[in-house]
Amino acid sequence: MPILIEPFRSSEVDTLAELSQNTFIESHGHSAKDKDIQDYIQTHFNTKTLTRGLANPEIYYSKIYYEDQLAGYSKLILNFPHSLINSSSTAKFERLYLLKEFYGKGLGEALLNYNIKLAKKQQQKAFWLFVWTGNKKGLRFYKKSNFKIIGEHDFKISEDHSNPNYVMKLDL
């Protein structure tokens, strides 16, 4: 099978950092000034921050391969409630990023389903995420996967720039 999904290991933090930075730039690099994007990346996708995440038992970083090539990753946080959801057993799906060269191969769906199964196995009752309102492809993808828009959120890229996001939820 050409698709393989497995957890990131702490020893792979450099690979995770590089993949995180590259996929964020591809997905959101045009959404704010270059300096704001670079500052965001340096704060959120550095090895120190990612090492802490990899050590946290409530956070799952997963990588996906397509034909033996690293194609993307996801981040799932268990027991991370949102004020618009009436359950503490709620998972936040914080990241699903693919390198652009792997779009259209069903990898996003495979990675999403992998994380949904993981959340269910951990007795999570709902699954929520933010989607940038400018990400039309992402919005279609999540709506097709039965997510519902339940609210809005301003996602801070920097002190001077926020991107409007939808809060979307899937009951598990």
Side-chain angles (χ1 to χ4, degrees):
M1 183 158 169
I3 297 173
L4 172 67
I5 302 171
E6 60 187 18
F8 261 105
R9 296 182 301 272
S10 58
S11 63
E12 299 172 306
V13 70
D14 291 330
T15 301
L16 176 58
E18 182 180 350
L19 182 61
S20 298
Q21 293 166 17
N22 290 341
T23 55
F24 189 82
I25 289 169
E26 285 184 357
S27 298
H28 298 287
H30 61 285
S31 71
K33 290 185 272 179
D34 191 49
K35 181 183 181 337
D36 292 339
I37 295 293
Q38 290 303 319
D39 289 347
Y40 185 86
I41 286 170
Q42 289 174 8
T43 301
H44 294 88
F45 301 127
N46 63 66
T47 56
K48 184 177 179 183
T49 300
L50 293 170
T51 297
R52 277 197 310 273
L54 287 165
N56 185 332
E58 296 283 296
I59 299 176
Y60 291 83
Y61 284 95
S62 302
K63 57 189 169 178
I64 187 165
Y65 290 91
Y66 181 76
E67 296 180 348
D68 297 323
Q69 292 182 298
L70 184 59
Y73 80 104
S74 62
K75 178 183 179 186
L76 178 70
I77 308 172
L78 301 177
N79 303 308
F80 200 100
H82 189 282
S83 61
L84 297 173
I85 301 172
N86 295 327
S87 175
S88 59
S89 298
T90 302
K92 180 181 183 190
F93 194 45
E94 194 167 275
R95 297 183 191 140
L96 189 163
Y97 285 113
L98 298 173
L99 293 165
K100 281 189 177 182
E101 65 193 86
F102 295 100
Y103 286 9
K105 299 184 183 313
L107 302 182
E109 184 177 358
L111 199 49
L112 175 62
N113 289 335
Y114 175 89
N115 280 275
I116 289 171
K117 287 177 188 171
L118 180 59
K120 285 180 178 179
K121 185 177 176 184
Q122 298 296 325
Q123 289 82 43
Q124 302 297 284
K125 304 295 182 215
F127 198 82
W128 70 274
L129 50 84
F130 294 132
V131 178
W132 176 35
T133 59
N135 183 354
K136 303 304 180 197
K137 186 175 183 170
L139 287 168
R140 280 192 308 274
F141 171 76
Y142 289 116
K143 285 179 180 178
K144 186 180 101 179
S145 300
N146 297 315
F147 281 80
K148 305 291 183 235
I149 294 173
I150 61 168
E152 296 181 359
H153 172 77
D154 281 330
F155 185 83
K156 271 186 97 114
I157 297 288
S158 71
E159 289 302 316
D160 301 327
H161 186 88
S162 294
N163 285 340
N165 276 233
Y166 291 119
V167 181
M168 298 186 81
K169 174 188 161 202
L170 176 70
D171 290 315
L172 300 179

